[in-house]
Amino acid sequence: MVSSTDVQRLFLQAILSRRILSQKLAAKIWEKCIDAVKEANETLEIQYRDDRNSWDTFVANVNDALNPLDLEFAHLHDEVSGKEMYAVVNRKGDEIAQMATEYTPLEITYFKAVLEQIMLAPNESYCVSSLAALREVNSLKSNMTKSQAEATLNSFVARGWLLKSRRGRYSLSTRTILELQTYLRNTYENEILECTICMELVTRGIACYTPQCKTRMHTHCFNNYKRRNRQCPSCKQSWADADINKLRPIGEAAYKEGQDLNRRRARRKSSEDAEDDEDEDGDGEHEEEPQEDGDAQPDVAVKPEPTKQAKGKGKRKAVRDESMEADGDQGSPPPQTQRRRSSRR
């Protein structure tokens, strides 16, 4: 027997078939679900109301039904367009468990490695080059090839986990920020920026040009704010028309050429990784991982002059990383990790 609760079931089936969608489209699907249920049972009196209060009430009821499953029909605003976006996200302790259904453990580990390079990118640029993303296979304890990594990156983009710009740089998508927000906040506490206006995560936007000022805004939040205000909300510095060009960019526009060509950003180690190293090395010590990308200067080691006895023996070979260009289209996330702190470089 068709009942009013079938509206929620039908709605969730339609939502789950899409990864992420705008509030406008979600509301239209809700309306169509009501029409379909009323068509099956004409005795039902279900009204669709095109107003915010009715929508919020419906979303609250949907989340009451999803709560026992540790799921949530959550929303945030797209960083570029400002549109309100919705998706069903996993709220379990393992914030990225939902990706295990799409990707293998190795692919999830690779996603974590690329995600880390994006979050630790210098200058608040929150992006990484195709070449640097491919180099991350060198940090994996596996035999993933560069061609496999390239195909996996394309899959990440195709399924909405990463964005790839025309310049070939990878950055976080709205889906990743929405679904992995708890993971990002816990793992990269010191790298997280929040919009001064909407308090949502910022990986694209603007920053106040005053040194040490904490103001960060999405571009759409800034555009709304400047219509009524002509000064920074934190430091009160003038934001007159002549000063707006001084505002610093956040995201790919903040990328400085060559910042990730020399060495990779230092990888964090979870307690599980540390235990693995101890098991392999016996005494818990391990060699420092080679670093390739980033903006920090590499440590300089001074070589001693060879002794006469050692002269001519055992010359060291310089190993050069293979370079590849990432082709194809634009391309899910990591196993559970412990909470850790870091400092921006």
Side-chain angles (χ1 to χ4, degrees):
M1 180 69 177
V2 176
S3 65
S4 58
T5 58
D6 288 317
V7 173
Q8 280 188 11
R9 296 190 184 94
L10 193 59
F11 177 79
L12 285 172
Q13 287 178 352
I15 294 300
L16 290 171
S17 67
R18 298 166 172 83
R19 299 184 183 93
I20 186 168
L21 69 169
S22 66
Q23 188 275 336
K24 185 176 180 180
L25 177 56
K28 179 60 66 175
I29 291 174
W30 175 36
E31 180 182 12
K32 296 300 181 182
C33 290
I34 291 176
D35 292 342
V37 170
K38 289 172 69 175
E39 185 73 21
N41 187 349
E42 297 179 355
T43 63
L44 294 175
E45 295 184 4
I46 312 172
Q47 293 291 330
Y48 169 75
R49 293 184 176 87
D50 187 14
D51 62 82
R52 186 69 197 198
N53 288 337
S54 298
W55 169 253
D56 289 342
T57 300
F58 174 71
V59 171
N61 291 335
V62 168
N63 282 327
D64 286 342
L66 291 175
N67 189 53
L69 303 175
D70 291 317
L71 298 175
E72 179 185 356
F73 186 48
H75 71 100
L76 58 63
H77 291 85
D78 182 87
E79 291 191 281
V80 177
S81 67
K83 290 183 179 179
E84 188 177 12
M85 308 298 291
Y86 279 81
V88 175
V89 302
N90 191 323
R91 292 306 188 203
K92 288 184 179 179
D94 182 0
E95 295 86 357
I96 54 171
Q98 65 272 22
M99 293 205 47
T101 61
E102 293 185 87
Y103 294 103
T104 66
L106 176 57
E107 290 170 333
I108 293 175
T109 301
Y110 180 51
F111 179 89
K112 284 179 60 181
V114 175
L115 179 65
E116 181 157 277
Q117 296 307 305
I118 292 173
M119 292 303 298
L120 298 180
N123 310 314
E124 297 180 351
S125 58
Y126 292 106
C127 62
V128 66
S129 68
S130 298
L131 182 59
L134 287 172
R135 282 187 185 144
E136 283 303 300
V137 299
N138 299 331
S139 68
L140 304 180
K141 297 178 180 179
S142 72
N143 57 354
M144 176 183 276
T145 65
K146 294 287 180 68
S147 59
Q148 289 172 330
E150 186 176 358
T152 303
L153 284 170
N154 289 337
S155 176
F156 291 154
V157 173
R159 297 190 181 188
W161 290 109
L162 292 177
L163 297 177
K164 187 178 182 183
S165 70
R166 293 181 179 179
R167 298 170 64 188
R169 303 190 64 79
Y170 293 99
S171 58
L172 302 187
S173 67
T174 300
R175 181 186 184 186
T176 296
I177 296 174
L178 178 57
E179 298 203 32
L180 304 184
Q181 186 162 166
T182 303
Y183 172 79
L184 293 172
R185 288 183 179 275
N186 288 344
T187 310
Y188 303 102
E189 181 179 2
N190 294 336
E191 281 77 27
I192 290 294
L193 299 179
E194 286 187 342
C195 178
T196 306
I197 303 300
C198 70
M199 303 308 294
E200 292 179 358
L201 268 60
V202 178
T203 64
R204 297 174 184 81
I206 61 98
C208 181
Y209 55 84
T210 303
Q212 310 306 320
C213 181
K214 303 298 185 182
T215 292
R216 303 291 187 273
M217 291 186 188
H218 298 113
T219 303
H220 60 88
C221 290
F222 168 69
N223 290 336
N224 292 330
Y225 176 83
K226 72 178 182 180
R227 294 190 186 108
R228 305 179 303 275
N229 301 276
R230 290 292 177 174
Q231 62 181 14
C232 173
S234 300
C235 69
K236 307 305 179 184
Q237 180 69 41
S238 171
W239 280 6
D241 291 340
D243 301 311
I244 288 180
N245 291 334
K246 299 179 185 178
L247 295 174
R248 296 188 293 105
I250 298 171
E252 187 170 348
Y255 166 74
K256 293 182 179 180
E257 206 63 44
Q259 73 178 28
D260 55 4
L261 294 181
N262 298 324
R263 54 178 275 190
R264 63 189 298 281
R265 302 285 287 180
R267 172 172 302 284
R268 303 154 182 260
K269 276 190 176 291
S270 68
S271 59
E272 293 178 0
D273 292 336
E275 290 173 3
D276 290 342
D277 287 341
E278 289 179 7
D279 291 340
E280 292 174 6
D281 298 340
D283 57 359
E285 296 180 356
H286 55 273
E287 294 184 0
E288 185 177 350
E289 195 172 345
Q291 300 180 354
E292 297 159 4
D293 300 333
D295 63 338
Q297 294 298 320
D299 295 333
V300 178
V302 179
K303 288 186 178 181
E305 289 295 328
T307 62
K308 293 182 179 179
Q309 292 83 350
K311 190 174 181 180
K313 293 184 179 179
K315 295 182 179 179
R316 295 191 177 185
K317 295 181 180 179
V319 181
R320 192 177 293 244
D321 285 340
E322 178 184 0
S323 299
M324 291 184 63
E325 290 293 335
D327 298 329
D329 298 315
Q330 317 156 45
S332 234
Q336 187 171 2
T337 57
Q338 300 281 340
R339 176 174 179 150
R340 50 205 125 142
R341 296 177 177 270
S342 74
S343 57
R344 176 174 300 279
R345 302 202 173 190

